Amino acid sequence: MGKGGMSHGEGSKVGEENMAAWLVGINTLKIQPFLLPSVGPHDVRVRMKAVGICGSDVHYLKTMRCADFVVKEPMVIGHECAGIIEEVGEEVKHLVVGDRVALEPGISCWRCNLCREGRYNLCPEMKFFATPPVHGSLANQVVHPADLCFKLPENVSLEEGAMCEPLSVGVHACRRAEVGPETNVLVMGAGPIGLVTMLAARAFGVPRIVIVDVDENRLSVAKQLGADGIVQVTTNLEDVGSEVEQIQKAMGSNVDVTFDCAGFNKTMSTALAATRCGGKVCLVGMGHGIMTVPLTPAAAREVDVVGVFRYKNTWPLCLEFLTSGKIDVKPLITHRFGFSQKEVEDAFETSARGSNAIKVMFNL
């Protein structure tokens, strides 16, 4: 498992008993003790202050699995996080006690070919917060490698620091799709990842963005956040043709790049049909593990399909965007909860309901 902590075996308690939110069964979370490992020479101990709920956390709670990752034993949940350094390892030079930091949640091996190529997000040995069997970060304290902790600028809050994790998905997607000032972008899905992808695309200089969703409230939020056009759609595959016409009308020009931030048969089919000849579709969401989509017509128009998995080397750019004001993630935080048994349960219930809940945040 990762550095974060353990449920049994050797470890060192620090100060008061460290507590964490454990996923112990379907729809069952319990705040229980979480034993920390010793701080190694290149590690830091961080007191968590802000932890967001991700869609994957909700999937684990509802089904005990997300994609091919299955929870087989109790696991601490959470991976979008920021906090304050309370202890540093003897070899750590760039951080000191009291620093506010955002944590990148994945620990790669740095030895395999993918890591050596710089694509460490694809490392087969990745140890990622709250991805079985690795424990997460919804806890009073965690221990984490110092080089995965990024000091927050003075004008960036701890909540914004925690938002660097979902924002990183959007930033990585924009890099993969190579968007810029001459790229018109369509975003399928106005959930948290769709919205941060839209914000990232704008920060990369994209001149026109249209966003699509089934939920009127989320489209309203997208419009407030700067979408140039919004299109409300259905879940019916039969409506793809007419909805593509609506999308193209809203764009007023060609769709150069589409980000599918939902990952369903319908959204991917729409994305492939709406994107211009020679354009790109970037698959970000993972709604369906297996999809049936019209690839042959898209191939005949040389529409490239680009995959996205997590992110790499994104925290510095995310912090630059937040510091400069190019991106404002604060409006995405719609609900806040403390760290008690009832509040943890209420927070996850709120996040699972969706609609008016975009990002649910814990303040520890």
Side-chain angles (χ1 to χ4, degrees):
M1 66 178 59
K3 290 283 186 179
M6 57 194 76
S7 56
H8 52 78
E10 293 299 321
S12 59
K13 291 187 178 180
V14 183
E16 76 279 9
E17 191 168 39
N18 189 46
M19 305 296 285
W22 290 78
L23 174 60
V24 298
I26 290 178
N27 291 323
T28 307
L29 291 164
K30 290 186 179 180
I31 294 182
Q32 298 179 154
F34 183 38
L35 194 60
L36 289 177
S38 300
V39 176
H42 299 282
D43 298 333
V44 291
R45 177 166 53 84
V46 185
R47 178 166 293 277
M48 291 289 95
K49 289 295 183 180
V51 181
I53 296 178
C54 174
S56 65
D57 296 323
V58 175
H59 277 296
Y60 285 126
L61 176 64
K62 296 298 181 183
T63 66
M64 297 294 280
R65 69 181 301 150
C66 185
D68 294 330
F69 299 104
V70 181
V71 180
K72 297 179 180 178
E73 58 184 26
M75 178 185 78
V76 176
I77 204 79
H79 62 268
E80 304 175 357
C81 54
I84 298 175
I85 301 289
E86 292 205 333
E87 182 181 353
V88 300
E90 59 186 21
E91 296 297 324
V92 177
K93 308 301 181 186
H94 68 290
L95 295 171
V96 298
V97 171
D99 281 346
R100 300 175 314 123
V101 292
L103 283 66
E104 182 172 351
I107 307 172
S108 56
C109 76
W110 291 115
R111 294 182 300 275
C112 68
N113 287 339
L114 287 164
C115 283
R116 289 161 65 89
E117 292 169 5
R119 304 188 74 176
Y120 68 85
N121 57 310
L122 303 178
C123 175
E125 301 299 322
M126 176 70 77
K127 294 177 173 63
F128 195 93
F129 276 156
T131 299
V134 182
H135 290 305
S137 59
L138 184 47
N140 296 132
Q141 300 175 74
V142 300
V143 172
H144 203 54
D147 62 355
L148 294 175
C149 296
F150 297 84
K151 187 174 178 178
L152 298 179
E154 288 186 7
N155 66 334
V156 174
S157 71
L158 286 157
E159 286 189 340
E160 291 172 283
M163 288 294 292
C164 282
E165 198 282 336
L167 180 57
S168 284
V169 176
V171 166
H172 182 56
C174 286
R175 283 174 168 171
R176 289 277 289 149
E178 299 178 310
V179 300
E182 297 181 351
T183 314
N184 290 324
V185 162
L186 169 65
V187 178
M188 305 296 301
I193 295 301
L195 293 173
V196 294
T197 300
M198 181 189 78
L199 293 175
R202 188 70 84 199
F204 274 84
V206 168
R208 187 160 182 82
I209 304 172
V210 172
I211 192 163
V212 168
D213 202 279
V214 298
D215 188 283
E216 185 178 2
N217 179 68
R218 292 201 165 186
L219 287 174
S220 175
V221 172
K223 189 68 175 175
Q224 294 169 23
L225 290 172
D228 299 294
I230 56 174
V231 178
Q232 188 169 12
V233 295
T234 72
T235 57
N236 299 320
L237 272 168
E238 296 79 8
D239 295 334
V240 167
S242 61
E243 289 171 358
V244 166
E245 291 181 6
Q246 294 178 54
I247 289 166
Q248 292 173 338
K249 183 178 179 180
M251 184 66 75
S253 182
N254 287 327
V255 175
D256 300 305
V257 170
T258 300
F259 294 102
D260 182 356
C261 296
F264 296 111
N265 290 335
K266 168 75 185 300
T267 55
M268 193 60 174
S269 297
T270 304
L272 292 168
T275 305
R276 68 166 174 82
C277 295
K280 291 181 183 177
V281 172
C282 191
L283 180 55
V284 184
M286 296 183 176
H288 283 156
I290 298 176
M291 289 191 286
T292 302
V293 297
L295 278 179
T296 303
R301 295 186 295 112
E302 293 196 351
V303 175
D304 295 338
V305 177
V306 179
V308 166
F309 186 63
R310 294 174 177 157
Y311 33 68
K312 60 185 181 73
N313 301 317
T314 51
W315 260 253
L317 183 56
C318 287
L319 291 174
E320 180 183 320
F321 282 153
L322 294 174
T323 303
S324 66
K326 282 188 176 181
I327 291 180
D328 182 6
V329 293
K330 294 189 291 294
L332 299 180
I333 305 170
T334 54
H335 295 75
R336 293 175 173 85
F337 291 85
F339 189 55
S340 66
Q341 181 67 42
K342 183 178 187 306
E343 287 176 291
V344 166
E345 292 171 355
D346 289 347
F348 272 86
E349 182 180 338
T350 299
S351 184
R353 281 200 304 266
S355 190
N356 69 328
I358 298 175
K359 181 56 62 180
V360 177
M361 187 74 65
F362 290 103
N363 294 136
L364 283 75

